[in-house]
Amino acid sequence: MFIQGASLGGIVTVRDLEAGLIPDVAGALLMCGASAGSRNWYNAFDLRTIYQAVCQDVSNAEMPTESWHEIPDLITGELQFLQSLERCTGLVSLNLFDPAFVSLLQSSAQRERLEKILALSGLELEFLPLVLGYAVFELPRLVNDGNKLDGIRPFSNTGIDFGDPLINQSITRLAALPSSRQALLDNYTPVGAIGDARVVGIHTSRDGLGKCWRSTCG
Amino acid sequence: MAEDMQKKCLELTTQSTECRFDPDFEAGSDPVRFPRESREASASNIKFDENSGQLTVQTVQVAGELPNYNVSLQLNPSAAMRFDVTAVSNAGSAGDWAHRARYFPDGSLLYLPSLQVLPPGPGSNLFDVYLQYSTDGQQEWLQLLEYEQVP
């Protein structure tokens, strides 16, 4: 038997393999699978804090909520998200118009901030709005929803060196209880225990959404 | 084949960046990984003396603020895992960022990285420790929430 899963279905597929939920699985196909599991959320959390640190001095470029764990308002939140992203980086225009034209509209400060966010986060340009969108709109639901983490705050960055003195000084620092971190990892992080099954994963080039981690990289 | 797909994609879209079929693509040994694999060593000097019950922290920073503080705590023998605040002194302003003890007012959480337990026993005697600040208006104390051994 062969099983397959795409995106979030990719991690469900890996979970099924590791948990032995489906008998006699010979192989699995993961298409852009989030095979690093819940660690993918660190990616979103880091991007949110990096954005805030880089764009904090730009007028009207704040994200729709002051805190990373607040749920934004519907519609007005999305509008503010796009306006803020545009003000800080010019990225919305980049996605709407011809890049040559946009280069005339994008200020050098916007370009510098955009490049800094990309360098610090390790993301490709195309993935920035998507991952930041997850960070702003989905991450608060993950931590607040009673059926998910139910108020647990699992993200910690107290000891992380972001490689930039100004960002290190200004970025929002958080510590998380070990039990909170574990609660996120438990739901669900693969360990590579897939037995004899063969797994093939295919990704968009330089996939910035479904990154891999340790045992899931091989 | 990838070349054909790229060509077709470019014919169909106005956004050339959407077409990412790379005929020269090779699966390398460097996939996109998480950058936050490790953490910096702690710059704070934090010690807990098991014999005296004294816990000293040099230095702790309040999240979002510049000043550093030195803090002394004493294990309260009549309350489980409660440390009474015995002294707090200003230790000047923080310079560059460093991984150090930090107090988070949002949640009243005190984070103590790489706390050293004295006298040293077998194995690692370094622990990351998490305590919660409380006060009844007269006394101030920190309650141990959780800890984990630093490898």
Side-chain angles (χ1 to χ4, degrees), chain A residues 36 39-40 42-43 45-46 69 95-97 126-127 156-161 168-169 173-179 181 204-207 211-214 217, chain B residues 14-15 17 20 22 25 30-40 61 63 66 94-100 102 104 106 109 111 128 130 145-148:
Chain A
R39 285 185 187 277
N40 277 296
Y42 282 111
N43 199 22
F45 172 76
D46 283 347
H69 54 78
N95 278 293
L96 291 177
F97 305 111
E126 293 86 342
F127 285 95
S156 173
N157 63 1
T158 47
I160 304 296
D161 181 355
N168 274 338
Q169 198 70 266
R173 297 281 179 178
L174 290 175
L177 293 174
S179 60
R181 282 185 269 125
T204 305
S205 304
R206 308 298 297 170
D207 189 342
K211 290 186 179 180
C212 62
W213 182 76
R214 289 186 183 169
C217 291
Chain B
T14 55
Q15 290 275 17
T17 53
R20 297 160 67 91
D22 182 0
F25 174 78
D30 183 29
V32 183
R33 293 171 190 264
F34 286 90
R36 46 150 63 219
E37 283 285 299
S38 59
R39 65 176 201 177
E40 294 294 300
Q61 188 175 24
L66 287 178
D96 291 339
W97 170 82
H99 179 209
R100 56 165 58 89
R102 201 171 282 258
F104 298 91
D106 178 20
L109 183 70
Y111 163 68
D128 288 345
Y130 302 79
L145 293 177
E146 293 183 23
Y147 63 91
E148 60 186 342

Side-chain angles (χ1 to χ4, degrees), chain A residues 91-144:
Chain A
L91 183 60
V92 179
S93 297
L94 275 174
N95 278 293
L96 291 177
F97 305 111
D98 184 84
F101 175 63
V102 172
S103 66
L104 300 172
L105 298 177
Q106 191 185 35
S107 71
S108 59
Q110 283 176 316
R111 200 172 306 122
E112 281 173 23
R113 288 191 291 265
L114 179 58
E115 285 169 4
K116 190 164 206 169
I117 291 170
L118 295 174
L120 289 168
S121 65
L123 282 173
E124 298 279 316
L125 179 69
E126 293 86 342
F127 285 95
L128 200 154
L130 182 63
V131 178
L132 191 58
Y134 270 98
V136 172
F137 297 101
E138 296 305 322
L139 199 58
R141 291 183 170 86
L142 171 75
V143 296
N144 291 309

